[in-house]
Amino acid sequence: MGVPVKGKGGLRKMRVIGIESSCDETAVAVFDTVRGLLSHRLHSQIALHQAYGGVVPELASRDHIRRLLPLVREALAAAQSSRDSVDGVAYTAGPGLIGALLVGAGFARSLAYAWGKPAIGIHHLEGHLLAPLLEPEAPVFPFLALLVSGGHTQLVDVAGVGEYRILGQTLDDAAGEAFDKTAKMLGLPYPGGAALAQLAESGRPGQFNFPRPMLDRPGLDFSFSGLKTAALVALRGRVLDEEIRADVARGFQEAVVDTLAEKVRRALVGGGYRRLVVAGGVGANMRLRERLGDIAQDAEAAVYFPRAEFCTDNGAMIALAGALRLAAGERASLAVDARASWELGAPGSAQQGSTD
Ligand code: KG4
Ligand code: ZN
């Protein structure tokens, strides 16, 4: 599989190992600009954090340390690659949990130094935005992207690699965060997004009508914290039997999906886009996919969803983004680059540093 990236004379052949450790997944993948994705491996820390109802940063960092080296070995073996056939190392430089990021960044930088290869820090959200390029039916630029994850909810104009313009974003909670918090109220284990979606399947429509935040206002921003509060109020004083929990889950999911879908419709129509890309963990939600499929069809736009395992955090998207940037000639300084906060579109390590 090739990657549809415009450039003089096409894309340079480049094989890159990508490392993701921004939160509670340790993931490693090998991507080749000519042959496509060669391997990907992931260790989820969900079981480690579940007892605490959320991610414990210190535990996350320590587990990344334990998992990285075996996963790199496995990913290289599965890709039938070695240090000699790898041309560079990409790692998630931010945003995320700083300790977790530092583990991945320090590891990746050291590996690159020992191997005498270039390394590059990748913006986690750029990874999500480019994940649909891992699929055989990949979108070409430009496209509109809906990025819906545990930490972010954004509508982004994507003109090319590194050419991102945020059109709208959440003013408070991210969509995934709202899913997770509401799931917790419903007694579902962390992270509750997928479990809430499953519970919603048996819920009756129309039993709970939650607000559709910000739809009465122009623009493309979102707000989900009020919705979570509305769910809390709806649950208060009730006996939470299976039926009520399912009805609330259904009502909540419908409200989130409606809100996201309407803003996407406005952005698609307003910007005259021909392609819509959906990325980030909440992009795995089937109801959202169904609604966005309908909206794209009405707007005569094609819609692209990465497969579910590439919607949630993974190493493949980081290896891909790194390969595209390194193949385009970008190089970063030898500094270990890790930032807890990093605005999409703000300069990255490659723009700041000298070559190595
Ligand atoms: O992109 P991601 O793996 O991590 C971040 O970068 O945040 O997204 C994780 C988020 C979590 O909030 C999780 O509950 C949510 O995506 N999620 C879902 C579904 N699968 C994962 N939310 C709704 N429906 C799903 N099927
Ligand atoms: Zn993510």
Side-chain angles (χ1 to χ4, degrees), residues 82-108:
S82 63
R83 59 183 284 174
D84 299 326
S85 53
V86 167
D87 304 303
V89 182
Y91 62 94
T92 303
L97 300 173
I98 193 63
L101 289 166
L102 275 167
V103 171
F107 179 90

Side-chain angles (χ1 to χ4, degrees), residues 124 128 149-151 176-177 179-180 191-194 197 280-282 284-285 311-313:
H124 181 78
H128 278 304
S149 71
E177 193 179 353
F179 261 98
D180 292 344
V282 184
N285 186 281
C311 277
T312 47
D313 290 350

Side-chain angles (χ1 to χ4, degrees), residues 143-233:
F143 53 76
L144 172 71
L146 173 69
L147 186 57
V148 266
S149 71
H152 294 83
T153 303
Q154 297 181 331
L155 276 163
V156 188
D157 174 285
V158 181
V161 176
E163 295 177 58
Y164 312 122
R165 196 159 52 88
I166 296 170
L167 305 174
Q169 59 190 324
T170 183
L171 304 178
D172 40 56
D173 290 354
E177 193 179 353
F179 261 98
D180 292 344
K181 287 177 176 170
T182 305
K184 201 171 181 174
M185 291 180 220
L186 291 169
L188 298 168
Y190 164 85
L196 189 152
Q198 205 184 350
L199 184 61
E201 273 175 35
S202 55
R204 294 164 298 173
Q207 293 298 307
F208 288 90
N209 286 309
F210 292 116
R212 271 57 175 160
M214 310 277 291
L215 286 195
D216 51 347
R217 292 197 223 164
L220 299 172
D221 286 336
F222 306 91
S223 164
F224 290 110
S225 67
L227 192 51
K228 168 197 72 198
T229 312
L232 184 67
V233 171

